[in-house]
Amino acid sequence: MLSPNCDIVNVLRNAHLIAVKLKLSDFDQWIQYKLNGYPNKESCPEYRKDSYSSIL
């Protein structure tokens, strides 16, 4: 069980390792976007586009 005080970055890094090992490329791509950001507005999901434009 995860602690409520756990660091989300470490959780995502562990999820990345699992996704690579299980060859879950779509899930790993999502994890990479969460860790590193979206490369452009077009790759951003709809729910993120409003916040994306505010950081540009």
Side-chain angles (χ1 to χ4, degrees):
M1 185 164 118
L2 293 175
S3 165
N5 299 325
C6 68
D7 178 14
I8 189 65
V9 173
N10 285 330
V11 171
L12 287 169
R13 287 179 180 153
N14 285 327
H16 162 67
L17 294 174
I18 293 167
V20 168
K21 188 162 190 117
L22 296 176
K23 299 178 182 170
L24 302 172
S25 58
D26 289 342
F27 182 51
D28 187 45
Q29 183 63 63
W30 178 84
I31 294 166
Q32 293 299 320
Y33 286 153
K34 297 302 174 188
L35 285 169
N36 304 315
Y38 292 91
N40 54 50
K41 188 173 181 175
E42 291 74 33
S43 65
C44 231
E46 287 299 318
Y47 67 89
R48 291 276 187 203
K49 287 188 179 177
D50 289 335
S51 61
Y52 184 91
S53 60
S54 68
I55 60 171
L56 291 177

